[in-house]
Amino acid sequence: MMPSQEKIHFLSIFILTIIIPACNEPIPEEKTENRSKKLADTSGMVWIPGGEFIRGAQVPGEYRREYPPHRVQVAGFFMDSTEVTNAQFAAFAKATEYTTIAEREIDWEEMRKQLPPGIPKPADSLLAPGSLVFDPPATPVSLDNHHQWWKWKTGVNWQHPTGEESNIQDLMNHPVVHIAYEDAQAYCNWRGGTLPTEAEWEYAAKGGLKDARFSWGDEDPIENPNLANIWQGTFPNENKALDGYAGTAPVASFPPNGYGLYDMAGNVWEWCSDLFAENHYHELAGLKICYNPAGPKKSFDSREPYAGNKRVIKGGSYLCHVSYCENYRPTAREATSEDSGMPHLGIRCVIKMDVDTAN
């Protein structure tokens, strides 16, 4: 990180509004394994038993937003064993006649609220519905400017992942992508569930392991490409696809973690319900333990201070490479604007049972 960004980071600690940590009351002991499944359809899900864990990075060398580590307790919940597929989202869209954000007309007045002051209105042709696509350069480039490989393209959405000429006919068992936060919420609500909190997601991703760096243990996926769908080669211009996939892979193409969850590392990023505030972990560090944390009350990312609300995304994707984005670790956390859909961002739902009514 450049020195000027360091100054912005430390200054932000002082200018951020003080946020009361969203930690609830202690979780009572309960026989979570006996919870009933009758309140919602949990087919395709696995039960994640509640428990305590250390959230955040415990070893030096990870991204600063992963520190400091702190103790968290979560209640048990059901979680999708795989990322939501195109087939599953198609069933939802058909049943509800839902239109995703990437398919809707763009409201410039709403969009400009998320941009630095003074940005002129783009041509109307550029304000047509669409989404971001990955456009790799032909040769190696400096990694300090992501605009070199991302571009906006009209006509892109979950049904047309690379443009109007594309379709998902042969991708029905791949994770659905180009899904914004509102879209992800709507799908999970239709299922009778929610998006996972950041704490729930990280706890589940660890698969019952306490000190492992990855969801499967400590073996490096760069050395063993059969562990996860990530970038192998030189980012962003050469992907050798040693794991078999240059883009998304069908769900469950790689081994599950200890809880039976697939693709908790790589393939596509996954939305969480928490707002993203880069210093939120510092606010929790003084607590003995945090029960079912639900995230900060206000979003802030010094890298894009005008971006509006951002939500936490977890898990990394097929575009993650150790040289630029080693985010295929349970403790890794990133931020994405709520209205953003991308070709490497998808959904995984959870269902939380009420103990009193489920027994």
Side-chain angles (χ1 to χ4, degrees):
M1 185 171 285
M2 299 298 290
S4 60
Q5 292 176 300
E6 294 281 356
K7 293 178 182 178
I8 293 174
H9 171 79
F10 288 112
L11 179 61
S12 68
I13 295 177
F14 296 102
I15 65 174
L16 275 175
T17 302
I18 296 176
I19 305 169
I20 299 174
C23 293
N24 300 318
E25 294 299 318
I27 301 167
E29 292 187 7
E30 58 195 43
K31 295 182 179 179
T32 52
E33 68 275 11
N34 292 327
R35 285 185 170 191
S36 171
K37 295 185 179 183
K38 66 184 179 181
L39 296 182
D41 182 6
T42 57
S43 58
M45 292 183 147
V46 296
W47 174 253
I48 309 299
E52 293 184 14
F53 75 111
I54 301 298
R55 182 171 68 164
Q58 300 182 66
V59 296
E62 312 295 16
Y63 298 114
R64 183 166 45 204
R65 53 188 171 271
E66 300 175 40
Y67 299 98
H70 49 284
R71 184 168 293 279
V72 167
Q73 183 182 4
V74 296
F77 54 94
F78 289 96
M79 189 176 217
D80 283 335
S81 64
T82 71
E83 294 150 336
V84 174
T85 66
N86 282 312
Q88 290 172 311
F89 196 84
F92 154 71
K94 181 178 180 179
T96 62
E97 299 183 344
Y98 185 82
T99 302
T100 63
I101 286 181
E103 298 171 284
R104 304 174 197 170
E105 294 298 323
I106 294 175
D107 184 341
W108 166 246
E109 293 303 320
E110 188 64 31
M111 176 181 283
R112 72 189 304 174
K113 296 176 184 178
Q114 303 179 33
L115 301 173
I119 295 294
K121 181 181 178 180
D124 288 343
S125 61
L126 297 177
L127 291 177
S131 189
L132 289 170
V133 293
F134 179 71
D135 185 26
T139 59
V141 296
S142 171
L143 300 181
D144 60 0
N145 181 7
H146 63 268
H147 297 290
Q148 296 173 102
W149 53 84
W150 286 111
K151 72 175 183 180
W152 174 267
K153 187 175 180 180
T154 59
V156 172
N157 53 59
W158 72 276
Q159 299 185 81
H160 306 284
T162 59
E164 294 179 350
E165 72 287 351
S166 64
N167 61 63
I168 57 173
Q169 182 176 344
D170 297 325
L171 302 173
M172 298 308 287
N173 199 34
H174 286 238
V176 65
V177 293
H178 295 295
I179 297 299
Y181 180 75
E182 180 181 317
D183 307 327
Q185 281 186 308
Y187 173 82
C188 290
N189 289 342
W190 178 71
R191 288 266 307 277
T194 66
L195 288 169
T197 65
E198 181 179 7
E200 289 168 341
W201 195 100
E202 183 170 328
Y203 177 77
K206 290 175 181 286
L209 301 176
K210 291 185 177 180
D211 300 317
R213 193 161 186 259
F214 304 104
S215 61
W216 54 79
D218 291 316
E219 187 175 5
D220 195 326
I222 297 297
E223 299 176 1
N224 182 356
N226 298 314
L227 294 172
N229 180 18
I230 59 175
W231 187 285
Q232 290 107 7
T234 303
F235 186 85
N237 62 294
E238 180 190 24
N239 188 353
K240 295 181 179 179
L242 300 178
D243 53 33
Y245 303 96
T248 59
V251 298
S253 293
F254 297 84
N257 72 0
Y259 287 142
L261 301 170
Y262 294 88
D263 300 313
M264 296 300 279
N267 214 20
V268 296
W269 287 95
E270 299 173 16
W271 284 108
C272 293
S273 61
D274 300 39
L275 287 168
F276 176 86
E278 60 190 44
N279 295 311
H280 182 54
Y281 283 11
H282 291 272
E283 298 161 3
L284 305 179
L287 301 176
K288 184 177 180 181
I289 189 169
C290 193
Y291 302 98
N292 280 337
K297 300 297 184 182
K298 186 176 181 180
S299 171
F300 184 78
D301 185 351
S302 63
R303 297 167 295 182
E304 293 182 304
Y306 296 100
N309 276 347
K310 286 189 172 187
R311 298 282 171 170
V312 173
I313 59 175
K314 300 279 283 185
S317 78
Y318 65 87
L319 293 178
C320 279
H321 185 262
V322 65
S323 68
Y324 178 71
C325 166
E326 196 193 20
N327 278 318
Y328 39 84
R329 298 170 290 102
T331 65
R333 55 198 304 261
E334 255 300 349
T336 293
S337 296
E338 291 180 344
D339 61 353
S340 293
M342 295 183 289
H344 64 333
L345 174 58
I347 320 170
R348 190 185 304 257
C349 303
V350 299
I351 290 178
K352 307 169 190 181
M353 297 299 188
D354 185 292
V355 179
D356 293 333
T357 57
N359 289 332

